[in-house]
Each structure stands twice: as structure tokens, then as C-alpha cells.
Amino acid sequence: MPNRRPLGLALALVLLSSCGEAQEAAPVAPLGPAGLAASRFPAPVRPVAPVVSDRWEAEDARERVGEAERVLGWLGVAPGQSVADIGAGSGYYTVRLAQRVGPGGRVLAQDVVPRYLARLRERVAGLPNVLVGLGEPGDPRLPAASTDVAILVHMYHEIEQPYALLANLVPALRPGARVGIVDVDDATPRHGTPRALLACELAAVGYREVAFHWLLERAPRSEYLAVFEAPAAPPVPESVRPCTP
């Protein structure tokens, strides 16, 4: 698919400039305008896991099981596409996406933790097809019609306002876009999201599950990739009904 850059993205190019110490780095700007106010959406009726690290597991361990290769293959990520890495953290997927989409593609790497983004910005400084931006707990702050594939890896259970974030993601998605969520089939306090709960929460915002893959089955915590298609438009916030665990 050809790379189509919406107007207003030039500002985001400054996000790849050099920075000082991670804790003192200059602020990172959002990639796109604000969406619907998160306060208009219901809060999730289940615990939200705390953000404790920008890494899920050591990268060499993830490579040994072929995690990224399998996930990106199942999602059909291809050269020339624009992919949003939501909750990019340390950049495990960001750098691999940059290689996979190639010079004609683009990676929008987003997170809500500024210190994670400062370290990520240093890591991707030599990758011209990566843009780094600051999101909000209920809004990824991505440009409109910018994304062919969005991935959320081992962070859905940490989203404070999932219904708002999912609704505000819709305008960023191009027709036929896919949203892939990687998580563990476990309770949110244990840094997972039960498969049925995930499907319910996305359905509440109008998403439809189109594929499901077990990524790594190991008792008692099995990892999965769930793939969704978004609704044509975001729902009216007041119409969203939260799911119960």
C-alpha cells in the first residue's frame, strides 16, 4: 500500500533529534490532534495494571521464539505500510517494524511515559522512517488516516481508559486497517487480559475480532495475538457500556 503522509506531520520530524540524559530530555510532542475527551467514556470495570517497565521480556528470549516475526506475519505487515506501535516502550517492535516496512513505509511509535520515549528516541535516531510521539491514557494522539496496522503489545491491561483510547484510535485507521493486540490470557492484576474480556471491551466500542492466534502456550499464562477490525466511526461515548470481568 502506498505511503500517504497527512498534512501536519512535518512537525513530528523534530522528534528524532538528539537528546540528553533520558530523565532530562526535552518533551516529546503528540503526533496528531486530540480526540474525544476520555472523561466522556466509562472507566473499565476491572483493575488496571500499573506500568512497571518499558520491556516485557529480554529481547533475545523473544527472538528465540520468533515472537515479532510471527506477529507481524499474522498481521500482514508489508513494505510501504504505515504501522502504529502503541505503547512502544523500549522499541522491540519499533525497530523490527522499521526494517519490515522499509524506506517507503513509516512507523509511528507512541507511548504515554516520557522517559520511555526519551530512551526510544535515542534508539531510533538512525531510522528515518520512525516518528516518536507522546500519547495520553485515553488517546493515542495519532494523525487522521495515518495507519494501516496498529499493534498494542503486552500493554492493553495497563491502559487507564481503554474505551476512550480505542474510540480515539478509529480516526487514525485507514480502510481495511487491522489492530493486533498481544497479551497474556490472565487477569489484569497479573499483567494479562483474559481473552473473553478483551473481545468484550473491543466489541463495546464497535471492533470486530477477525483472527486469533496462540503465540506461546505455557501454563498457566499463555500469550496470544487477537486481531480486530475497527468500526467505520467512533461510537458516541455515552453509548459505551463497560464489560464486567
Side-chain angles (χ1 to χ4, degrees):
M1 183 175 293
N3 180 29
R4 302 186 293 275
R5 291 181 182 270
L7 294 177
L9 273 180
L11 175 63
L13 293 174
V14 301
L15 303 177
L16 294 178
S17 60
S18 60
C19 59
E21 294 297 322
Q23 298 293 334
E24 303 298 330
V28 182
L31 292 169
L36 298 165
S39 59
R40 296 180 59 189
F41 291 85
V45 187
R46 43 88 172 167
V48 175
V51 178
V52 296
S53 175
D54 60 350
R55 304 171 190 271
W56 164 248
E57 198 172 47
E59 293 195 13
D60 59 348
R62 300 170 82 170
E63 285 298 280
R64 283 196 296 271
V65 297
E67 178 186 326
E69 186 68 21
R70 296 165 68 197
V71 168
L72 301 184
W74 283 327
L75 287 171
V77 176
Q81 290 186 327
S82 177
V83 182
D85 187 0
I86 299 174
S90 65
Y92 171 75
Y93 273 86
T94 302
V95 296
R96 289 160 178 80
L97 283 166
Q99 180 178 16
R100 193 173 182 106
V101 301
R106 181 177 56 195
V107 181
L108 305 174
Q110 176 268 3
D111 209 297
V112 299
V113 183
R115 69 179 183 275
Y116 294 173
L117 289 176
R119 292 196 290 266
L120 177 60
R121 188 167 54 176
E122 292 180 335
R123 181 174 186 179
V124 303
L127 300 175
N129 62 346
V130 177
L131 300 177
V132 178
L134 182 67
E136 299 172 0
D139 190 345
R141 299 297 298 271
L142 296 173
S146 63
T147 303
D148 297 306
V149 180
I151 63 171
L152 298 84
V153 180
H154 289 301
M155 51 74 69
Y156 184 86
H157 49 269
E158 299 172 351
I159 301 174
E160 294 178 15
Q161 297 282 351
Y163 300 112
L165 185 139
L166 291 167
N168 283 321
L169 175 60
V170 172
L173 300 174
R174 294 171 177 168
R178 299 168 300 286
V179 177
I181 298 179
V182 175
D183 216 322
V184 173
D185 192 19
D186 202 352
T188 55
R190 294 193 291 271
H191 286 268
T193 306
R195 176 183 177 182
L197 178 62
L198 180 75
C200 180
E201 291 192 349
L202 272 86
V205 189
Y207 286 74
R208 182 173 68 93
E209 185 174 309
V210 294
F212 183 90
H213 306 275
W214 288 112
L215 183 59
L216 186 61
E217 295 187 71
R218 53 183 179 185
R221 292 164 55 85
S222 296
E223 298 174 47
Y224 60 78
L225 166 68
V227 185
F228 297 86
E229 289 183 351
V236 175
E238 292 76 16
S239 70
V240 176
R241 297 291 177 265
C243 300
T244 56

